[in-house]
Amino acid sequence: MNLTKVITVCFAVAGGVAGIIAAHYWQESSKISIIPAWGNSEPLETQDQGMGWIVGTLDAFTKSATLNKRAARWTAASVLLSAVSGVLGNVL
C-alpha cells in the first residue's frame, strides 16, 4: 500500500471516529432530565415550586445545548475529514 492510500485511509478513519464522538454527544444530550432546583424537600408555596421547575428547566436546557454544540463541532470535523479523504482518494 502506497503512502497516498495510507493517508486517505487515515483521514477516512479519523472522520468515522469523529462521527462516532458526535453521535455520543447527541445521545448524551437526549438523556438530560429536568431536575427541579429546590433540593431535598419540595417547597410548600406554589410560586416557589414553579420557580424550582423553571430553574431546573433552564439548567437542563443549558446542559443539553452544551452537548449539542460539541456534537455539531464533531460532526463538522467528521464531514471535513471524510471530504478530504474522498478528494485525496480521487485526486491522488
Side-chain angles (χ1 to χ4, degrees), residues 46-76:
T46 305
Q47 184 176 2
D48 293 337
Q49 290 174 351
M51 187 58 69
W53 280 107
I54 290 170
V55 171
T57 301
L58 291 173
D59 186 48
F61 285 172
T62 301
K63 290 176 183 175
S64 181
T66 300
L67 291 170
N68 283 331
K69 184 177 181 180
R70 289 180 187 165
R73 288 180 176 168
W74 279 103
T75 299

Side-chain angles (χ1 to χ4, degrees), residues 1-2 16 24 26-27 29-30 42-44 47 50 57 62 64 71 75-76:
M1 191 183 264
N2 66 20
H24 168 74
W26 262 311
Q27 181 182 21
S29 76
S30 72
E42 184 174 349
L44 299 175
Q47 184 176 2
T57 301
T62 301
S64 181
T75 299

Side-chain angles (χ1 to χ4, degrees), residues 6-7 13 24 28 47-48 60 62 65 72 78-79 84 88 90:
V6 170
I7 293 171
V13 169
H24 168 74
E28 290 302 310
Q47 184 176 2
D48 293 337
T62 301
S78 176
V79 170
V84 168
L88 288 177
N90 287 324

Side-chain angles (χ1 to χ4, degrees), residues 3 6 9 12 14 20-21 24 34 39-40 43 46 50 61 70 77 84 89 91:
L3 181 61
V6 170
V9 169
I20 290 169
I21 292 170
H24 168 74
I34 298 173
N40 294 332
T46 305
F61 285 172
R70 289 180 187 165
V84 168
V91 172

